[in-house]
């Protein structure tokens, strides 16, 4: 495991999602109840920006077609919806996160 320093704890307010690019990897980090979660920033469906999505507990919802992903595992919980169509979507990539002092680190 190679954890990389990404941001300060204070950079991401509680309930927020922020985008970061680290070593060429686009990720979104969410701050929920004092815990931080990192997930690939682009939705596996059509590349919607998950950092612009919304949160429902530990679920992140893609702003483009409303696919839902578990922040802890990256597992797709509900596929994309386009009108009456419901499409299956691959799982997103979730990354391990730790806090060292006041710094958020992600294992890419």
């Amino acid at each position: 495991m190679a954890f990389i320093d990404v941001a300060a704890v204070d950079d991401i307010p509680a309930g927020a999602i922020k985008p970061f690019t680290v070593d060429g990897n686009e990720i979104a980090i969410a701050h929920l109840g004092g815990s931080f979660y990192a997930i690939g920033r682009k939705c596996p469906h059509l590349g919607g920006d998950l950092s612009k999505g919304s949160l429902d507990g530990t679920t992140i919802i893609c702003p483009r077609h409303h696919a839902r992903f578990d922040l802890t595992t990256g597992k797709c919980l509900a596929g994309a919806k386009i009108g009456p169509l419901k499409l299956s979507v691959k799982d997103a990539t979730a990354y391990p996160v730790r806090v060292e002092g006041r710094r958020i680190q992600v294992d890419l």
Side-chain angles (χ1 to χ4, degrees):
M1 293 180 136
F3 281 89
I4 298 170
D5 192 61
V6 177
V9 169
D10 297 333
D11 291 342
I12 308 171
I17 312 164
K18 295 285 184 171
F20 296 92
T21 301
V22 182
D23 289 345
N25 295 292
E26 292 187 57
I27 63 172
I29 298 179
H31 181 185
L32 299 170
S35 296
F36 294 89
Y37 303 90
I39 195 163
R41 187 171 157 197
K42 299 296 180 183
C43 176
H45 175 236
L46 287 176
D49 187 347
L50 294 178
S51 72
K52 294 181 180 177
S54 57
L55 297 171
D56 181 12
T58 57
T59 299
I60 189 167
I61 304 163
C62 179
R64 188 176 277 177
H65 295 120
H66 309 288
R68 300 169 68 91
F69 302 92
D70 183 325
L71 282 170
T72 63
T73 65
K75 181 168 180 55
C76 181
L77 302 173
K81 291 186 266 181
I82 302 173
L85 299 175
K86 292 182 181 179
L87 306 171
S88 64
V89 176
K90 293 180 183 179
D91 294 341
T93 302
Y95 300 97
V97 177
R98 71 181 183 195
V99 175
E100 290 290 323
R102 300 292 297 159
R103 301 297 299 173
I104 301 166
Q105 298 179 338
V106 178
D107 184 1
L108 300 174

